[in-house]
Amino acid sequence: MSNLSELFGSNVFNDFVMRERLPKATYKAIKKTIDEGVPLGQDVAEVVASAMKDWAIEKGATHFTHWFQPMTGVTAEKHDSFISPTADGKIILEFSGKELIKGEPDASSFPSGGLRATFEARGYTAWDCTSPAFVKENTLFIPTAFCSYTGEALDKKTPLLRSMEALSKQAMRVLKSFGNNTSKRVITTVGPEQEYFLIDKEMYKQRKDLVFTGRTLFGAPAPKGQELEDHYFGTLKEKISAFMHELDMELWKLGVSAKTKHNEVAPSQHELAPIFSTTNIATDHNQLVMETMRKVANRHDLVCLLHEKPFAGVNGSGKHNNWSMTTDDGMNLLDPGKTPHENVQFLVMLCAVIGAVDDYAELLRLSAANPGNDHRLGANEAPPAIISVFLGEQLTDILNQLKNGCAKSCIQGGELKIGVNTLPALPKDSTDRNRTSPFAFTGNKFEFRMVPSSATISKSNYTLNTIVAESLCNIADRLENASDFDSEVEALLKEMVVKHEKIIFNGNNYAEEWIEEAAKRNLPNITSTVDAAKEIITEKSISLFKKHSVLSKAELESRYEIMLEQYVKTINIEGLTALEMAKRQILPAGIAFVQAVADSVNSVKATGIDIDISAQTELLVELVGALNGLKKEIKELEAVIFKASEMEDDIYKQACCYRDGVFTRMNDLRAYADKLEILVDKDYWPIPTYGDMLFND
Ligand code: ADP
Ligand code: MG
C-alpha cells in the first residue's frame, strides 16, 4: 500500500503534528518538557490544548479522556465531550490547558490497598506529555498518571516514570565518571513481544470458564498437542492472516510500530512484536496492543485470549521484555561497541545489570508474578521460577578472565584493556540463544522472559530500572571517588564477577539438575504469587524503592495488599466457576449418559437373549465411579471455598488457603471431569473440547 507511511501515526498527536501546528515558541517549550522534564507553564498548556482539540476534532473526536492505568492492571477512561453550551442555546467546542493537565476521576472504586483509607477517596490524573495523545473511536486519549490527592501513586505509570528518572540519574553518574560530557540523559528502551491465543467466538461463548476466568478449568488433552512442532512459524491460515493484517493497520494508525507476527509453538497461539521504544511509550503501546487484539479479534468472530495458561498441556503465553539503556544521543549502553574504551564501559554496564539481577532476584521474580503465571513459572514450562542470567560462552569467558586477574598486565599506554584488546563481535543471531533462560543477554540488550502475557509490563520494568539504578549507584560511588580510575574499574569488575557469578547460568533451565544446582548456589526459587508477594514489603525492598524515590513504604504496602487481594479474588472466581460448570453442566451430562448406558443394559437384558453385555456394564461402572468422584470433589471444593472466603482478617493466610486449598481442590475436581469427558458420548458433552477449540479449521 502506497500510503502506509501516511497511515502510520495518523491518529497520534506526535512530534510531527506538534511541529506543524504549534507556534515555534510553544513547540520549543513543550519539547523541553518532554525531553528534559522542565515543568510546563500554564500558558504553554493552553496553546497545546487548543491545538490538540482542533486536531482531534478534525480526526472525528467529540470527546476527550484522561487515559490511566489503575492498579487493576487494565486501563481506565472516562469520556468528557468538548461541548460547552452558549447563552443562545448553541454550543462551542472547548478544551482548556487545565483540562489537559489535570483530571479528577473519583478514585474510590479503584483498588488502593489501604491508601484510600489513609488518604481519602479523591484522586487525580496528571498529563504525561512524554507519551503522545491519540484519537481512537471518536475520542482524544490523553495518557496520564493517577495519584491520590496527597501524591501517592495509585497506578502503574507513576512508578515507571519515577524509575526511569532514577536510572537515568545513576547511569549518568557512571557515564560522567567515564568522561562523557555530551549525553544528557539515559533512557531505558523496551520491545515487548506479545504472545496470545485466538479461538472461535462461538466456542468461547459456550465455555463459562473462558468467559469468567480467561482460562479453561476443565478439558482432557486432545489427541494432538504441540508435539509435531508444526505450528511454530507455520503458514498463517487465511482467517488469522486477515486478523493480523487488520490488527497491524489499527496499531499503525495509533503509532504502534507492530513489526513481527508469526504463529507460536502451541496450536492457535501467535505472537506480535513491535519495534522497541522508550519504556514509558512501550508500556502504553503494549496496553493498546492487548486492547486492539481483543477488539479486532471480535470483528473476525474470534476471541483473543491473553491469559498466561488458557490450556493445560500446551505452552502458555508470556511477554519477552527486551530491555536496554540508551543515551539521549543514541548510544546503546549494552552494545559492546568497537573501541576498548567502549568495551570497558559496556562491561561495567553489563556487570551492573548482572549484579542487580543477583542482588534483587526476588524482586524481579515478584515483578512477573500473577495468578496466571503460577501455571508457568516453576511448573515445568518456559521459563522456570528461578532467576538466572544467560550470557553465552563468549561473554562468560571474558568475565572469567576478568575474575582471574589477567587484566593487570594488559593495561598498556594508559588505556585500560582488561584482558582483551577489544571484545570480539558478539553474536546477535537468535540461533545461538538459550531459549530456556529467564533473563538472557541477546547481543545488545537483555531479554526478560518471565513477564506475564496478560499483565502490563510496567511492574517488570520499574523493578528492573530500579534495581539497575541501585547497582549503578554503587558503581558510581566507587568510580567518582577513585584516585586511579583505571585500576578502580578493574578492581570493581573483578569484585563484581566474583560476587555475582552465581547468577550466571548458560545451561538448560528446564533440567531437574538445575533446580538442585540453583539451590546449592543459594538462588531463590519462588514458585507462587503468594510467596512472591511478601518480597514487596521486606526491609530490603522498602529501602531500595525509597532510596530511589520510586515507591514509598505506604505505596509498597498498598501494592502488597492489592496483589494478594487480586490473587484471592481471581482464585475465588475460578473456584466458583469450576463449581458452576461441574454442578450444572458436567455432572448432568454424566448422569444423562449413565442413564443411556443403563437403558441399553436393560434393553438388551429385556430381549431375553443370553448375550455378553460387559461393554456396557464396564462402562457403566467406570462412569458411575467417575461421577461419584466428581460429586465428592464438588462437595470438597464447596467447603474449602467457604472456609477460605471466611478468612478475611488475614489476607496472607487467606491467599495461602486459596492456593493450597481451593486451587488444589479445583485440580482434583478437574481430574474427575476430564476422566468423564473421555468416557461420555461426544453428543452428550456440554462444552467444546480442547480438540474443538485448538484445532478448529
Ligand atoms: P527475537 O529473535 O527475540 O524476536 P528481535 O531482534 O526480533 O529478536 O528483537 C525482539 C525485540 O527486541 C523487538 O521488539 C526489538 O525491537 C527489541 N529490541 C531490539 N533492540 C532493542 C533495544 N536496544 N532495547 C530494547 N529492545 C530492543
Ligand atoms: Mg525474543
Side-chain angles (χ1 to χ4, degrees):
M1 198 190 277
S2 61
N3 63 353
L4 259 194
S5 57
E6 266 171 49
L7 181 93
F8 188 84
S10 56
N11 286 347
V12 185
F13 194 73
N14 53 21
D15 190 61
F16 178 80
V17 178
M18 287 199 289
R19 213 169 340 127
E20 251 190 359
R21 293 189 170 239
L22 295 176
K24 257 207 174 88
T26 313
Y27 175 73
K28 267 195 181 157
I30 183 86
K31 278 298 273 182
K32 257 197 145 28
T33 304
I34 293 171
D35 294 340
E36 295 163 37
V38 175
L40 191 76
Q42 186 67 37
D43 47 337
V44 177
E46 288 303 340
V47 181
V48 176
S50 168
M52 212 187 251
K53 178 201 70 185
D54 292 344
W55 169 85
I57 289 170
E58 281 168 35
K59 297 273 165 201
T62 53
H63 288 67
F64 69 92
T65 180
H66 276 201
W67 186 59
F68 57 106
Q69 308 183 14
M71 297 301 295
T72 51
V74 291
T75 56
E77 51 197 72
K78 181 181 139 216
H79 300 213
D80 278 301
S81 73
F82 289 120
I83 66 163
S84 174
T86 53
D88 58 358
K90 300 259 208 194
I91 51 154
I92 50 167
L93 300 177
E94 274 187 338
F95 182 52
S96 68
K98 204 170 142 257
E99 285 170 309
L100 168 63
I101 291 179
K102 195 169 172 183
E104 298 188 18
D106 182 0
S108 61
S109 293
F110 293 106
S112 79
L115 280 181
R116 195 155 56 225
T118 340
F119 304 105
E120 299 189 56
R122 291 194 304 164
Y124 69 91
T125 49
W127 181 32
D128 165 24
C129 64
T130 62
S131 181
F134 52 91
V135 168
K136 184 168 70 78
E137 290 142 23
N138 308 106
T139 299
L140 168 67
F141 281 75
I142 301 155
T144 57
F146 179 44
C147 297
S148 76
Y149 243 83
T150 36
E152 275 77 20
L154 292 174
D155 71 346
K156 307 244 177 184
K157 185 189 267 280
T158 307
L160 185 68
L161 293 172
R162 291 175 184 161
S163 75
M164 289 169 73
E165 278 293 318
L167 184 132
S168 178
K169 187 170 152 195
Q170 303 304 334
M172 279 310 301
R173 287 178 61 205
V174 175
L175 290 184
K176 284 210 174 92
S177 70
F178 268 90
N180 181 331
N181 293 319
T182 47
S183 305
K184 289 198 198 107
R185 285 187 316 142
V186 172
I187 302 139
T188 49
T189 51
V190 167
E193 302 165 49
Q194 174 75 46
E195 292 180 332
Y196 60 98
F197 281 81
L198 287 176
I199 64 157
D200 182 85
K201 198 198 295 181
E202 280 312 308
M203 293 196 197
Y204 168 86
K205 283 190 195 155
Q206 294 170 50
R207 298 274 321 206
K208 293 293 171 216
D209 45 5
L210 286 177
V211 172
F212 292 131
T213 75
R215 75 178 180 98
T216 52
L217 302 174
F218 301 102
K224 180 183 171 183
Q226 62 190 44
E227 62 277 49
L228 292 180
E229 296 169 334
D230 51 353
H231 195 254
Y232 191 54
F233 285 10
T235 315
L236 298 176
K237 306 247 164 67
E238 254 173 54
K239 191 167 184 173
I240 302 303
S241 184
F243 158 85
M244 286 180 171
H245 176 71
E246 195 173 326
L247 176 64
D248 280 339
M249 299 300 244
E250 293 290 341
L251 291 174
W252 289 338
K253 280 190 235 164
L254 295 172
V256 179
S257 55
K259 171 85 175 159
T260 315
K261 51 188 181 183
H262 60 81
N263 285 346
E264 258 299 330
V265 171
S268 296
Q269 191 187 29
H270 316 278
E271 181 183 297
L272 177 145
I275 296 170
F276 70 94
S277 50
T278 73
T279 315
N280 183 31
I281 293 177
T283 305
D284 286 356
H285 280 182
N286 183 249
Q287 294 280 11
L288 286 177
V289 165
M290 292 194 287
E291 182 190 313
T292 312
M293 278 176 170
R294 286 200 166 108
K295 285 187 180 161
V296 174
N298 195 37
R299 288 182 215 151
H300 290 251
D301 289 326
L302 294 165
V303 173
C304 172
L305 303 177
L306 292 167
H307 194 280
E308 289 70 25
K309 194 73 181 176
F311 301 99
V314 295
N315 276 7
S317 299
K319 274 192 254 253
H320 288 181
N321 190 87
N322 296 274
W323 178 94
S324 190
M325 302 175 274
T326 307
T327 60
D328 58 329
D329 45 358
M331 177 176 36
N332 179 354
L333 300 179
L334 290 176
D335 194 320
K338 290 197 174 63
T339 66
H341 178 86
E342 286 170 322
N343 284 176
V344 177
Q345 186 180 294
F346 160 72
L347 287 172
V348 168
M349 294 295 168
L350 183 79
C351 285
V353 179
I354 295 170
V357 174
D358 185 31
D359 281 338
Y360 294 98
E362 292 91 345
L363 280 184
L364 207 53
R365 167 67 183 89
L366 159 75
S367 82
N370 78 355
N373 240 2
D374 281 2
H375 297 274
R376 303 171 67 230
L377 312 179
N380 269 329
E381 196 183 319
I386 304 164
I387 300 260
S388 66
V389 177
F390 169 82
L391 285 184
E393 252 173 57
Q394 225 165 5
L395 265 185
T396 309
D397 182 49
I398 289 161
L399 295 195
N400 278 332
Q401 289 180 41
L402 288 176
K403 184 178 75 172
N404 296 328
C406 70
K408 221 177 192 89
S409 61
C410 300
I411 300 173
Q412 296 161 358
E415 189 148 54
L416 182 74
K417 293 199 177 164
I418 52 146
V420 270
N421 268 333
T422 45
L423 294 176
L426 297 167
K428 283 179 199 144
D429 180 6
S430 58
T431 52
D432 183 60
R433 290 183 205 163
N434 179 331
R435 293 272 161 197
T436 68
S437 173
F439 202 88
F441 184 71
T442 52
N444 60 1
K445 62 188 190 292
F446 276 99
E447 186 167 337
F448 182 31
R449 305 209 180 108
M450 279 182 164
V451 182
S453 53
S454 70
T456 160
I457 56 170
S458 159
K459 193 168 168 185
S460 291
N461 283 296
Y462 75 65
T463 303
L464 196 48
N465 292 347
T466 310
I467 64 178
V468 175
E470 169 65 6
S471 188
L472 289 167
C473 175
N474 294 332
I475 292 171
D477 288 346
R478 290 269 298 263
L479 296 185
E480 281 169 354
N481 295 315
S483 51
D484 177 349
F485 183 77
D486 286 359
S487 46
E488 187 68 7
V489 170
E490 205 193 331
L492 180 78
L493 284 175
K494 184 173 173 174
E495 279 170 41
M496 289 191 79
V497 176
V498 171
K499 186 164 172 219
H500 300 297
E501 66 181 343
K502 69 176 192 296
I503 197 80
I504 297 167
F505 180 60
N506 295 326
N508 177 7
N509 282 256
Y510 304 162
E512 259 327 291
E513 305 88 75
W514 169 233
I515 297 177
E516 284 164 35
E517 166 67 18
K520 274 190 219 140
R521 295 189 192 186
N522 256 333
L523 300 179
N525 183 3
I526 304 172
T527 54
S528 79
T529 296
V530 180
D531 288 331
K534 287 184 293 189
E535 300 298 333
I536 312 179
I537 46 163
T538 58
E539 284 298 318
K540 191 174 161 188
S541 162
I542 291 168
S543 76
L544 169 81
F545 284 111
K546 184 163 172 245
K547 175 173 170 186
H548 296 282
S549 304
V550 174
L551 286 167
S552 67
K553 185 165 187 251
E555 287 169 333
L556 287 166
E557 281 168 350
S558 81
R559 266 149 224 263
Y560 170 74
E561 288 278 321
I562 291 169
M563 194 169 173
L564 289 182
E565 262 172 33
Q566 283 179 345
Y567 181 84
V568 162
K569 287 176 186 166
T570 303
I571 307 298
N572 191 55
I573 293 170
E574 289 189 352
L576 294 177
T577 306
L579 278 180
E580 154 119 4
M581 289 174 73
K583 284 161 72 172
R584 302 187 57 201
Q585 293 186 290
I586 297 171
L587 191 70
I591 291 172
F593 188 54
V594 162
Q595 164 104 51
V597 180
D599 284 353
S600 157
V601 171
N602 287 336
S603 314
V604 177
K605 276 188 183 159
T607 62
I609 307 170
D610 183 18
I611 205 168
D612 176 12
I613 48 167
S614 57
Q616 286 103 312
T617 48
E618 270 175 35
L619 179 58
L620 203 53
V621 171
E622 274 186 275
L623 278 167
V624 172
L627 272 181
N628 289 339
L630 188 80
K631 186 72 185 79
K632 181 180 124 270
E633 290 302 336
I634 287 173
K635 275 192 256 168
E636 298 275 6
L637 181 58
E638 264 171 346
V640 72
I641 290 178
F642 180 75
K643 181 177 151 204
S645 64
E646 293 278 285
M647 297 172 75
E648 277 170 343
D649 327 335
D650 186 334
I651 185 75
Y652 175 71
K653 280 199 184 135
Q654 188 177 34
C656 288
C657 187
Y658 271 97
R659 179 192 59 191
D660 304 330
V662 177
F663 185 77
T664 315
R665 281 295 174 195
M666 271 165 52
N667 287 336
D668 296 343
L669 175 67
R670 176 184 186 142
Y672 284 108
D674 292 359
K675 192 169 172 193
L676 273 172
E677 183 188 322
I678 54 173
L679 294 174
V680 170
D681 179 342
K682 193 156 176 37
D683 291 341
Y684 282 74
W685 198 248
I687 52 177
T689 64
Y690 270 32
D692 299 335
M693 289 183 284
L694 291 172
F695 298 92
N696 168 48
D697 21 48

